[in-house]
Amino acid sequence: MPTRRTFLRRAAGAAALWTLGCRTVPRPGDATAPGAEPWRAELAARPFPLAEATVADLQAAMASGARTSRGLVELYLARIAQLDRQGPRLHAVLETNPDALAIADQLDAERRARGPRGPLHGIPVLLKDNIDTADRMSTTAGSVVLEGSRPPRDATIVQRLRAAGAVILGKTNLSEWANFRSTRSVSGWSGRGGQCRNPYALDRSPCGSSSGSGAAVAANLCAVAVGTETDGSIVCPSAVSGLVGLKPTVGLVSRAGIIPIAASQDTAGPMCRTVADAAALLTALVGADPRDPRDPATAAAVGRVADYAAALDAGGLRGARLGVVRKSFGYHPELDALVDSALAVMKAQGAELVDPVDLSSMGELGADELEVLLYEFKDGLNAYLASLGPAAPVRSLAELIEANRKLADRELPLFGQELFERAQQKGPLTDPAYREALARNLRAARADGIDAIMDRHRLDALVAPTNGPAWLIDAVNGDHFIGGSTAAAAIAGYPSLTVPVGQVRGLPVGASLFGRAFSEATLLRLAYAYEQASHARRPPTFPASVVL
């Protein structure tokens, strides 16, 4: 099934773990070369006290007085310094919040005086660096051009996280401009942050575009993180880092204050180590009332589930009907075997499998999807840049293209900006070419796709491999993405959730559950029941490469 990576023509090639514009170039004898890693001994001698800690674990520790929010922030900041700035140098975090400790102190005082606001009170959260924060941090989409850009107000989801008592710990690295700049991009690379690395094998891709959020959560640099997705950018980084990643229905979570690609497909969502953490984080992102005047799409979310933790049920697979999308198998035999094993677990837990089901209506929609994205990117980005006001470094896509040319040594050393240039040539959203492509996309993905197949077989969800194991980072040829199942839910604007199912030679892989609009509670219930029966996640050990 085509994905955004498919039509961006990812090419295969040998590993080239050098990063122009990055702060780290591994060479024999440095701290990242095998056999010369003193940080490994330090990790072994001093295990991280918050390793794999869940939101519930951290709340219990704060409730008992064993931990404080300030103490959590201090430990995660030290972990970032140890693993992201030094040691394996993951380059997952672009910057940390200079006010995080002060915010934690305030939340600790509030807990002592009035008790916690809820499950996220005092919990450190990292945000992908395309999400606006009106504080002393920048919002740049990883671009040198926007370095220092200070949005005039928080993104709506940031307002909701602050209201829930979360501590915004910092901003994560990403595939620059959310992986929508070039047909030869390298996932996890940005001009501002350099090359993010996969903590399960440092020469492997963290996938994109929410690469830093995925690597950070997997490496325990934070409790939970927020990513964004247009097609695959939450679930792919989550799958290759052994995480639970949830792409919500478009409109459930406000996009206001998030640097856009495409209004018809963009959304933000949780990236976590457990399903329960994803449910807690999604509840905060949605808020008590999902409506946001700054994002009209949220009107469709009124009346939906408000507390996703209530959906979690260890017996939630009993009686569920799951459709197996076999056409999304076949690009890696070991992955297929792991997903089949996961399906066997689901069946043993009481699920009924309809195997196979056929999403043939999706066809080859790559060209139509790209057409839609090019139009919507120009329209959305111009509006976003204009919203930054007179102090904005650039005020339009045209100005951004020119600024990149002037900073070519930092912005264009590995790949170009041909998608920017193609988008700039597009007209307004009233163009028939855009409207017709969007209509074809939505019909194929919704009425003739996910909705039709679920109606026909009376399904609760569809299941498929999320994507293949992480590929080698290749700064010469770009990404080598062998296949995935993200396009149907992405184009439809429907939810999808990836959950770990095991490892292929030490590299995590996941299976995706996806379904109708606003079926997040169902997907979380099913994934939680599978997770409790399988416990497939394993923490990373930061090897230099896959051990054969």
Side-chain angles (χ1 to χ4, degrees):
M1 188 171 292
T3 70
R4 179 151 59 101
R5 292 171 188 81
T6 304
F7 64 67
L8 294 185
R9 298 169 58 199
R10 306 307 195 212
L17 191 57
W18 55 275
T19 56
L20 293 173
C22 182
R23 296 161 181 76
T24 303
V25 181
R27 295 185 178 90
D30 81 67
T32 64
E37 301 166 324
W39 53 270
R40 291 193 186 279
E42 183 181 353
L43 284 177
R46 300 179 182 178
F48 184 52
L50 303 181
E52 301 295 289
T54 66
V55 168
D57 292 337
L58 298 177
Q59 285 298 343
M62 288 187 284
S64 71
R67 300 276 182 198
T68 62
S69 180
R70 182 186 180 92
L72 300 182
V73 170
E74 288 175 337
L75 284 168
Y76 283 124
L77 289 176
R79 179 80 165 178
I80 290 169
Q82 180 185 34
L83 296 182
D84 203 66
R85 306 291 190 257
Q86 304 174 57
R89 295 174 179 149
L90 296 174
H91 291 286
V93 180
L94 285 176
E95 63 180 312
T96 55
N97 187 353
D99 300 316
L101 289 170
I103 293 168
D105 284 340
Q106 294 167 4
L107 290 165
D108 284 334
E110 181 181 325
R111 180 186 292 271
R112 290 191 296 269
R114 296 189 293 276
R117 301 181 193 181
L120 289 192
H121 189 110
I123 300 295
V125 178
L126 284 170
L127 305 176
K128 185 176 178 180
D129 184 41
N130 60 350
I131 300 171
D132 284 351
T133 55
D135 52 21
R136 291 197 285 165
M137 294 188 290
S138 298
T139 302
T140 70
S143 171
V144 174
V145 174
L146 290 190
E147 201 160 25
S149 177
R150 303 285 198 273
R153 60 192 295 190
D154 281 340
T156 299
I157 61 170
V158 175
Q159 294 173 357
R160 289 175 177 168
L161 287 170
R162 295 194 202 276
V167 179
I168 307 302
L169 186 64
K171 296 289 189 74
T172 58
N173 200 3
L174 68 159
S175 308
E176 188 175 295
W177 295 104
N179 221 8
F180 199 75
R181 202 191 81 188
S182 172
T183 59
R184 299 178 66 82
S185 63
V186 180
S187 285
W189 184 92
S190 72
R192 187 176 172 214
Q195 181 63 55
C196 179
R197 306 185 192 186
N198 190 314
Y200 289 86
L202 300 177
D203 61 351
R204 295 271 163 171
S205 176
C207 197
S209 63
S210 305
S211 45
S213 294
V217 175
N220 285 270
L221 306 186
C222 59
V224 294
V226 180
T228 68
E229 176 165 328
T230 305
D231 186 340
S233 290
I234 288 174
V235 295
C236 181
S238 296
V240 303
S241 288
L243 302 179
V244 175
L246 173 58
K247 181 199 84 74
T249 305
V250 171
L252 181 64
V253 174
S254 173
R255 288 86 53 83
I258 300 176
I259 299 175
I261 290 179
S264 64
Q265 295 183 201
D266 288 351
T267 185
M271 300 177 71
C272 306
R273 291 182 292 272
T274 68
V275 177
D277 284 359
L281 183 52
L282 181 64
T283 299
L285 295 174
V286 175
D289 183 351
R291 287 173 295 186
D292 180 5
R294 299 170 64 197
D295 183 0
T298 57
V302 174
R304 306 295 176 178
V305 174
D307 180 4
Y308 289 94
L312 305 183
D313 177 3
L317 281 162
R318 284 193 296 270
R321 286 176 59 85
L322 306 178
V324 182
V325 186
R326 283 287 164 188
K327 285 190 176 180
S328 291
F329 288 64
Y331 49 83
H332 198 289
E334 293 175 68
L335 168 62
D336 288 354
L338 286 169
V339 176
D340 278 331
S341 294
L343 290 169
V345 171
M346 294 178 190
K347 186 174 181 179
Q349 294 299 306
E352 182 179 353
L353 303 183
V354 182
D355 187 2
V357 297
D358 185 8
L359 274 174
S360 57
S361 70
M362 293 301 295
E364 291 295 327
L365 284 180
D368 273 340
E369 185 183 9
L370 179 56
E371 185 78 355
V372 169
L373 268 56
L374 290 169
Y375 271 97
E376 293 185 352
F377 179 71
K378 179 183 178 182
D379 179 79
L381 187 64
N382 282 340
Y384 173 83
L385 293 173
S387 76
L388 297 178
V394 290
R395 301 184 190 183
S396 68
L397 175 57
E399 289 185 15
L400 173 59
I401 291 169
E402 185 57 32
N404 280 340
R405 289 172 181 153
K406 291 178 180 177
L407 292 167
D409 60 331
R410 296 183 66 190
E411 279 295 337
L412 308 176
L414 303 184
F415 48 88
Q417 55 179 342
E418 59 271 23
L419 289 179
F420 279 11
E421 292 160 350
R422 290 177 64 182
Q424 178 57 28
Q425 295 169 3
K426 296 299 182 183
L429 299 188
T430 54
D431 276 4
Y434 162 72
R435 297 171 68 87
E436 291 166 8
L438 178 61
R440 285 193 298 270
N441 273 349
L442 295 180
R443 182 177 61 253
R446 293 178 179 177
D448 295 343
I450 292 173
D451 291 335
I453 203 72
M454 294 189 73
D455 286 343
R456 185 177 309 137
H457 297 289
R458 296 174 288 110
L459 300 175
D460 294 287
L462 295 157
V463 186
T466 305
N467 45 257
W471 55 94
L472 288 163
I473 297 170
D474 186 352
V476 176
N477 296 300
D479 285 345
H480 176 41
F481 183 82
I482 62 174
S485 62
T486 64
I491 294 172
Y494 288 1
S496 63
L497 182 154
T498 185
V499 63
V501 296
Q503 296 186 348
V504 174
R505 306 183 197 192
L507 299 174
V509 289
S512 283
L513 296 158
F514 56 102
R516 302 178 189 275
F518 301 108
S519 62
E520 285 82 1
T522 297
L523 301 184
L524 286 163
R525 172 174 58 84
L526 299 172
Y528 182 77
Y530 167 74
E531 175 192 61
Q532 297 307 297
S534 63
H535 298 286
R537 171 171 164 78
R538 297 290 181 270
T541 58
F542 315 102
S545 189
V546 171
V547 178
L548 300 178

